[in-house]
């Protein structure tokens, strides 16, 4: 596996990978890799001739009081994992390479980015949309792979790529890959490592209570009390607060007051021991 830290090396290496008409898959990450990321790499390997993974802890998607400094950085370990999975190229730019002095552009996606995590984390999705747009232009992949764990992020990226004509026929495809879970159901996340042993055990209440809520919703129970009970169960289990617990239209992410027949999603963000966990699951009408 080759590693590029500068755009110049990245472009030359990608040109070589593509010289014989080979296809390139991109797996964008912020590192601290786990099985969820490696699943994206495996999907990319199945679909494309070469896989490029990026590792960049993007400062513009962290708010002033968020965990940018604490976010785990382990490039050597991540690099070994990517190599073992058969990645062709690791793109690991520094902050100055990604945002040279004088950088003034911001991509802001309205609509899908506004509620849920967008409301709790102002500016977060501008940072995501801007850096992912740059990654798309830098790597020029045929297909890019993202985890459904960050369901709203995936919707924002799809909207950005569509509106900026990146996904017009026969250019870039964006594939969402189902969330990978621990044996007890907790969605894999680089932030799970912040949890103490006790909070890690308590955190299983998140997928469990979500599944119970989905069973009630699919059974026809009214949405508002089901969501209120879900919040109550999480607080009871040891979560300190619930940022949101919302039933939403799976495409627009607009909140739903009833299951209406179109695809729906239950999305939750809740805090435990200072760590903010998010999860989402499909709900059948
Ligand atoms: O999901 C992530 O790891 C990040 O938000 C992404 C898509 C790599 C952009 O920084």
């Amino acid at each position: 596996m080759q590693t590029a830290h500068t755009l110049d090396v990245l472009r030359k290496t990608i040109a070589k990978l593509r010289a014989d008409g080979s296809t390139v898959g991109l797996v964008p990450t912020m590192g601290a890799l786990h099985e969820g990321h490696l699943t994206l790499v495996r999907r990319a390997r199945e679909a494309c001739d070469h896989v490029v993974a990026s590792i960049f802890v993007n400062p513009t998607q962290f708010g002033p009081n968020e965990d940018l400094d604490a976010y785990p950085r382990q490039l050597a370990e991540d690099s070994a994992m990517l190599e073992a999975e058969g990645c062709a190229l690791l793109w690991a730019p520094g902050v100055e390479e990604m945002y040279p002095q004088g950088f003034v552009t911001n991509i802001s996606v309205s609509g899908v980015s506004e509620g849920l995590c967008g409301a709790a984390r102002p500016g977060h999705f501008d940072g995501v949309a801007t850096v992912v747009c740059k990654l798309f232009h830098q790597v020029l992949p045929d297909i890019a792979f993202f985890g459904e764990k960050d369901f709203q992020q995936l919707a924002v990226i799809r909207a950005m790529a569509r509106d900026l004509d990146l996904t017009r026929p026969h250019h870039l495809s964006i594939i969402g890959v189902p969330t990978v879970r621990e044996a007890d159901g907790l969605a894999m996340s680089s932030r799970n490592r912040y949890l103490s042993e006790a909070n890690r055990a308590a955190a299983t209440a998140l997928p469990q209570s979500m599944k119970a809520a989905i069973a009630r919703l699919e059974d026809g129970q009214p949405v508002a009390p089901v969501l209120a009970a879900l919040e109550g169960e999480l607080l009871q289990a040891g979560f300190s607060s619930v940022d949101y617990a919302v039933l939403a239209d799976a495409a627009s992410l607009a909140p739903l007051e009833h299951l209406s027949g179109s695809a729906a999603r239950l999305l939750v963000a809740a805090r435990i021991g200072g760590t903010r966990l998010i999860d989402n699951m499909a709900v059948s009408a």
Side-chain angles (χ1 to χ4, degrees), residues 166-270:
L166 302 179
T167 48
R168 286 288 177 106
H170 315 306
H171 186 25
L172 167 70
S173 306
I174 294 174
I175 295 200
V177 177
T179 303
V180 179
R181 295 178 181 278
E182 304 285 357
D184 64 3
L186 185 67
M188 288 197 186
S189 163
S190 305
R191 289 187 169 100
N192 289 352
R193 65 183 71 191
Y194 297 154
L195 297 168
S196 68
E197 208 176 312
N199 286 337
R200 170 64 189 81
T204 60
L206 180 56
Q208 281 167 4
S209 301
M210 288 176 69
K211 275 194 193 153
I214 289 170
R216 287 178 209 134
L217 291 169
E218 291 177 349
D219 205 34
Q221 293 189 29
V223 173
V226 169
L227 297 180
L230 166 58
E231 288 197 27
E233 281 171 32
L234 293 177
L235 297 174
Q236 186 72 34
F239 281 79
S240 53
S241 61
V242 179
D243 279 1
Y244 59 79
V246 173
L247 181 72
D249 179 89
S252 68
L253 299 187
L256 294 174
E257 282 170 21
H258 316 277
L259 276 179
S260 60
S262 60
R265 206 88 189 171
L266 176 64
L267 301 107
V268 180

Side-chain angles (χ1 to χ4, degrees), residues 66-285:
E66 294 186 351
D67 56 342
L68 174 61
D69 292 337
Y71 202 85
R73 288 157 172 91
Q74 45 170 61
L75 193 61
E77 210 176 317
D78 288 344
S79 175
M81 285 193 247
L82 293 170
E83 181 150 32
E85 290 298 336
C87 249
L89 173 61
L90 167 59
W91 169 221
V95 175
E96 296 74 26
E97 188 69 7
M98 193 59 101
Y99 299 116
Q101 242 200 329
F103 186 93
V104 289
T105 299
N106 184 47
I107 297 178
S108 191
V109 177
S110 48
V112 284
S113 73
E114 281 164 19
L116 308 169
C117 287
R121 304 182 68 190
H124 169 68
F125 286 122
D126 288 9
V128 170
T130 305
V131 81
V132 171
C133 186
K134 282 175 68 74
L135 289 167
F136 286 169
H137 281 100
Q138 291 163 345
V139 176
L140 298 174
D142 297 278
I143 312 180
F145 297 81
F146 296 88
E148 285 186 349
K149 151 103 179 355
D150 297 293
F151 199 78
Q152 189 177 15
Q153 165 174 282
L154 181 56
V156 169
I157 290 167
R158 284 191 198 283
M160 175 276 290
R162 180 201 62 212
D163 291 354
L164 299 182
D165 296 332
L166 302 179
T167 48
R168 286 288 177 106
H170 315 306
H171 186 25
L172 167 70
S173 306
I174 294 174
I175 295 200
V177 177
T179 303
V180 179
R181 295 178 181 278
E182 304 285 357
D184 64 3
L186 185 67
M188 288 197 186
S189 163
S190 305
R191 289 187 169 100
N192 289 352
R193 65 183 71 191
Y194 297 154
L195 297 168
S196 68
E197 208 176 312
N199 286 337
R200 170 64 189 81
T204 60
L206 180 56
Q208 281 167 4
S209 301
M210 288 176 69
K211 275 194 193 153
I214 289 170
R216 287 178 209 134
L217 291 169
E218 291 177 349
D219 205 34
Q221 293 189 29
V223 173
V226 169
L227 297 180
L230 166 58
E231 288 197 27
E233 281 171 32
L234 293 177
L235 297 174
Q236 186 72 34
F239 281 79
S240 53
S241 61
V242 179
D243 279 1
Y244 59 79
V246 173
L247 181 72
D249 179 89
S252 68
L253 299 187
L256 294 174
E257 282 170 21
H258 316 277
L259 276 179
S260 60
S262 60
R265 206 88 189 171
L266 176 64
L267 301 107
V268 180
R271 293 174 195 265
I272 183 162
T275 301
R276 185 173 183 277
L277 299 180
I278 59 171
D279 201 348
N280 69 87
M281 295 178 187
V283 183
S284 305

